[in-house]
Amino acid sequence: MSDTTTTTPEAGPPTSALHLADEFLARQTPVQRIRAILYRYPAISPAIVLVVAIIIFGVINPRFLAPNNLSLVTQQVAVIGTLGVAQTLVILTAGIDLSVGAAMVLSSVVIGNAAAGLGIPGILALLVGLVAGVATGVINGFLVTRLNLPPFIVTLGTLSIFTALTLLLSNGATVQGNKLPDIITWTGSTFHLGVDVTYGVLMMILLYVVVAFALGRTAWGRHVYAVGDDPEAARLSGIRVNRVLLSVYVVAGAIVALAAWIQIGRDFGSSPNAAVDANLNAITAVVIGGTSLFGGRGNVWGTLLGALIVGVFRNGLALAGLDVLYQTLAVGILVIVAVSIDQWIRKVRK
């Protein structure tokens, strides 16, 4: 008689983690899946809008797709796209900078007056403009981090201050490009790449590459997202929140100075009345590009798409023969729709 031993396998967990994930995904509706994808990849929405807009405007008016017109669109986007990078950094921290446009004009006037009025060499004039731009960022950052004032109130105040300083320094006069060293107006020069592209556009693209790398591949970038998502949690994890915030405003100030250089090249001169709607357009580009006004979500590539959307809409509607008022109306509608979509997407966290 032989002993027979029956071995029963040990009972494992009723459902593995993989099975739980599969069950969760299976329970999601198609709308929930779309919302989750848009939350993870915020640049998808503006990319779709841009492609559709290009197709529609190209059908309405074939001149829209002409190389010369596409070159014009990119030149128009260069300044707003550059300012959009500065605005994106601030909004990622759940702040907002209403003064970037005024700070850019101030920096451009400083550059123009330093070169034409004081006879400072072009390179040094650009460095003086860089100092002016960084100074605007330091002022905003100091008021936000040291006095704990809301970014909206701070930058609303500095908007008026920078505008007044611009008028005082320039006496309301424009410095023509022929009075400036070539290096200062160089950003408006073009080279051929299928279409005529200005060096200002090239500089903007390089800026996007650098900032995208900094946000996605460095500790500083991770800290920016963490501060914007939950500053208290970031502080408890050892991140020096105020230092990160101050650095963001300083970097934004340096980017503003770069935008001023591009603006001078585009206008072939520095004017205190330049780019009056630059700040609004920059915020519009950021919001349309998928960066959340509540901070912690978004990227600069979405902002570039947003800036292109603004440029495409304004150019396409102009070629369609619509008045500038309707162009502004269309941009306003885009902003409201973009914010509404952002609110809808954010529900994925609940």
Side-chain angles (χ1 to χ4, degrees):
M1 180 176 179
S2 60
D3 293 336
T4 304
T5 304
T6 303
T7 304
T8 58
E10 294 184 4
T15 310
S16 67
L18 183 59
H19 290 160
L20 286 173
D22 289 339
E23 281 186 23
F24 175 74
L25 290 175
R27 288 198 302 268
Q28 283 189 316
T29 66
V31 173
Q32 289 174 326
R33 292 177 185 176
I34 292 173
R35 186 163 57 191
I37 292 172
L38 293 178
Y39 182 85
R40 187 173 182 183
Y41 304 103
I44 291 179
S45 298
I48 294 173
V49 172
L50 179 61
V51 171
V52 172
I54 290 174
I55 294 173
I56 291 175
F57 288 127
V59 171
I60 293 175
N61 193 330
R63 286 191 301 161
F64 176 80
L65 297 175
N68 288 341
N69 187 63
L70 294 178
S71 174
L72 179 62
V73 171
T74 60
Q75 293 174 40
Q76 292 171 339
V77 166
V79 175
I80 301 305
T82 303
L83 282 180
V85 177
Q87 192 68 259
T88 300
L89 292 174
V90 176
I91 291 179
L92 280 175
T93 64
I96 194 168
D97 191 345
L98 301 178
S99 68
V100 289
M104 180 195 71
V105 177
L106 174 61
S107 296
S108 69
V109 166
V110 168
I111 293 171
N113 284 10
L118 301 178
I120 296 177
I123 293 294
L124 292 180
L126 290 173
L127 290 176
V128 172
L130 175 62
V131 171
V134 170
T136 64
V138 170
I139 292 171
N140 286 335
F142 177 83
L143 293 174
V144 169
T145 59
R146 303 304 176 187
L147 300 186
N148 294 319
L149 298 177
F152 180 88
I153 299 301
V154 167
T155 56
L156 181 62
T158 55
L159 163 64
S160 299
I161 293 172
F162 298 155
T163 300
L165 287 175
T166 299
L167 295 174
L168 287 172
L169 288 174
S170 65
N171 291 320
T174 297
V175 178
Q176 300 296 331
N178 54 15
K179 297 180 181 178
L180 298 172
D182 291 341
I183 186 64
I184 294 180
T185 58
W186 167 78
T187 54
S189 303
T190 62
F191 62 95
H192 194 71
L193 194 65
V195 298
D196 289 334
V197 180
T198 65
Y199 288 100
V201 172
L202 180 61
M203 291 170 63
M204 177 195 70
I205 294 173
L206 291 175
L207 172 68
Y208 272 87
V209 172
V210 171
V211 175
F213 176 83
L215 287 175
R217 301 292 183 179
T218 67
W220 179 79
R222 291 190 291 273
H223 292 173
V224 169
Y225 280 103
V227 169
D229 189 55
D230 190 334
E232 183 60 22
R235 185 186 66 79
L236 293 175
S237 67
I239 297 174
R240 303 183 68 171
V241 173
N242 281 346
R243 177 176 291 187
V244 173
L245 286 174
L246 181 60
S247 70
V248 164
Y249 282 97
V250 170
V251 172
I255 294 172
V256 160
L258 177 63
W261 188 12
I262 297 174
Q263 175 72 38
I264 292 175
R266 170 160 170 69
D267 290 349
F268 197 64
S270 64
S271 170
N273 301 312
V276 292
D277 57 353
N279 184 64
L280 177 60
N281 285 336
I283 295 176
T284 300
V286 176
V287 173
I288 293 176
T291 297
S292 175
L293 288 172
F294 298 93
R297 186 178 68 85
N299 58 67
V300 290
W301 296 118
T303 297
L304 179 58
L305 293 172
L308 288 170
I309 289 171
V310 173
V312 165
F313 264 78
R314 288 192 178 278
N315 183 271
L317 292 174
L319 289 178
L322 291 181
D323 188 88
V324 66
L325 293 177
Y326 292 100
Q327 300 174 33
T328 304
L329 174 65
V331 172
I333 293 173
L334 280 174
V335 172
I336 295 174
V337 171
V339 174
S340 300
I341 292 174
D342 174 58
Q343 290 280 60
W344 177 73
I345 292 173
R346 283 175 59 84
K347 292 180 182 178
V348 76
R349 299 182 66 179
K350 298 180 181 180

